Amino acid sequence: MTKILTLDDFDFKDKTALVRVDFNSPIDPQTGKILEDVRIRMHGETTIKELAEKGSKVVILAHQGRPGEPDFVPLEQHAKVLSGILDRPVKYVDDLFGEEAKGAIREMKGGEILVLQNVRSYPREREKGTPEEQSKTEFVQSLAPLADVYVSDAFAAAHRAHVSIIGFAPLLPSVAGRIMERELNALGKALESPEKPCVYILGGAKADDALRISKYVLDNNIADYVLTGGVAGHLFLVAMDINLGKPNIEFLQKKKLMEFVQGIRELIKKYPEKIKTAPDLAIDVNGNRREISVEELPTNYPICDIGTNTIQQYAEIIKKAKSIVVSGPVGIFENKEFAKGTKMILEVVADSQGFSLVGGGHTVAAVEQLGLEQKMGYISTAGGALIEFLMGEELPGVVALEEAAKRKS
Ligand code: 3PG
């Protein structure tokens, strides 16, 4: 990795720092409330605390969810949670780069913390571009003149070439925050040569990521087994011509995931022994868990977790592994009825003798809730970014920091 600058390379006293963190947290779809604050805590207790203590004016840029999704909520509650974690006031303005936001930044004193509106409220934020293109947007052009330095701490979103991730680096001195620094150091070491047998447990809702990583780790002989669960697992079952039933198929269609079925089918054909799918599942029958075998499908109820047989089969494979990567929960962990699969799989991983690497916002939240942090080899805040990193891809957010460091030297 090329050199990047860190918080040690800049004098923050009385300087305005734009700090991009990843506060993206699991949200209760009914109430819109934060379910787990682990990411807020991680950034809060490290980078944000250090900057405030160094006398910097700390302006937080963060996203939550994606527009149109139930977890796309304002950051006001994140600011409150942060204030509780740091035991100091944290101001929130419901504006990103308009007069209200700019006025609030100008009024700040050293040591104060301000959270701006969800960066994804700016429609252009998620449009891809080069750092130079992103630096010309109204968002960057409005805020950069008020800042002295850009701190990039959102490793978990560094795989996105979004405006707030790469647009400030061409214009401002840019350094990595402590979470970014820690992730890059630790992951670099952890991934040098994973010991075999190596098992990847892929769940969660981002099934496109699951397909890409499965293909990469199998084609490159990195993983000996890929165990599938979560929404990603449903898609693998569909690729085996299993009819999941109307509500489940409609869900996959709504999320535009069916287009990945063909790719998964080809992969399963190539590695029938290495890819494992669930032999049984838990369905939601009016709020209650009921387990059915795959032979009993289709079902008119939503599938929400892997079943007990699957847990047992997966556990046998995990116990023999020397390296284990977990990305994404295997069921709807937020719902008590459907937490069993994720809980039991994570417990087996925690007790295994192998080195375990756990990543993803929801997965890390589950690990924390279960109190298993100390028993995991390494916990990454990142999900998608971790996957890109595991595949040896360059992360635009990291490249932007490397370029900024080169300009400085
Ligand atoms: C994540 O949770 O993986 C990051 O916050 C990125 O979120 P995104 O996939 O919506 O860009």
Side-chain angles (χ1 to χ4, degrees), residues 124 127-136 161-163 166-167 170:
R124 173 75 177 74
E127 279 173 35
K128 283 188 198 145
T130 63
E132 282 64 35
E133 283 161 357
Q134 305 297 44
S135 74
K136 293 192 180 93
H162 294 173
V163 175
I166 59 171

Side-chain angles (χ1 to χ4, degrees), residues 22 24 39 63 65-66 120 156-157 159-160 162 206 361 382-385:
D22 191 336
N24 196 23
R39 278 185 171 170
H63 74 276
R66 298 176 183 177
R120 291 187 178 175
H159 57 315
R160 307 286 182 216
H162 294 173
K206 295 175 186 169

Side-chain angles (χ1 to χ4, degrees), residues 20-25 39 63-67 71 120 126 154-160 162 206 209 360-362 381-386:
R20 177 56 159 103
V21 293
D22 191 336
F23 279 174
N24 196 23
S25 304
R39 278 185 171 170
H63 74 276
Q64 172 62 59
R66 298 176 183 177
D71 63 346
R120 291 187 178 175
R126 292 197 309 144
F155 175 76
H159 57 315
R160 307 286 182 216
H162 294 173
K206 295 175 186 169
D209 280 348
H362 286 73
T381 55
L386 174 66

Side-chain angles (χ1 to χ4, degrees), residues 265-327:
R265 197 171 276 142
E266 281 159 25
L267 204 63
I268 296 176
K269 222 164 136 195
K270 208 163 160 194
Y271 304 104
E273 300 299 321
K274 294 188 169 192
I275 296 174
K276 302 289 175 196
T277 55
D280 62 346
L281 301 155
I283 52 175
D284 181 343
V285 182
N286 307 322
N288 298 314
R289 180 187 183 96
R290 201 170 94 205
E291 296 202 0
I292 56 167
S293 74
V294 164
E295 286 75 42
E296 289 170 75
L297 289 167
T299 174
N300 281 328
Y301 297 102
I303 301 168
C304 297
D305 195 11
I306 55 172
T308 307
N309 279 339
T310 310
I311 298 170
Q312 277 162 3
Q313 284 190 15
Y314 285 6
E316 288 312 310
I317 298 173
I318 296 166
K319 281 181 196 156
K320 295 189 194 117
K322 293 252 171 58
S323 347
I324 308 152
V325 177
V326 189
S327 178

Side-chain angles (χ1 to χ4, degrees), residues 204-247:
K206 295 175 186 169
D208 43 343
D209 280 348
L211 169 61
R212 287 173 52 235
I213 186 80
S214 305
K215 188 165 164 32
Y216 179 81
V217 293
L218 291 169
D219 281 349
N220 290 283
N221 199 23
I222 295 168
D224 299 288
Y225 293 103
V226 170
L227 314 182
T228 61
V231 178
H234 301 179
L235 219 52
F236 276 74
L237 289 171
V238 173
M240 292 162 70
D241 294 325
I242 293 168
N243 180 359
L244 302 182
K246 202 164 170 255

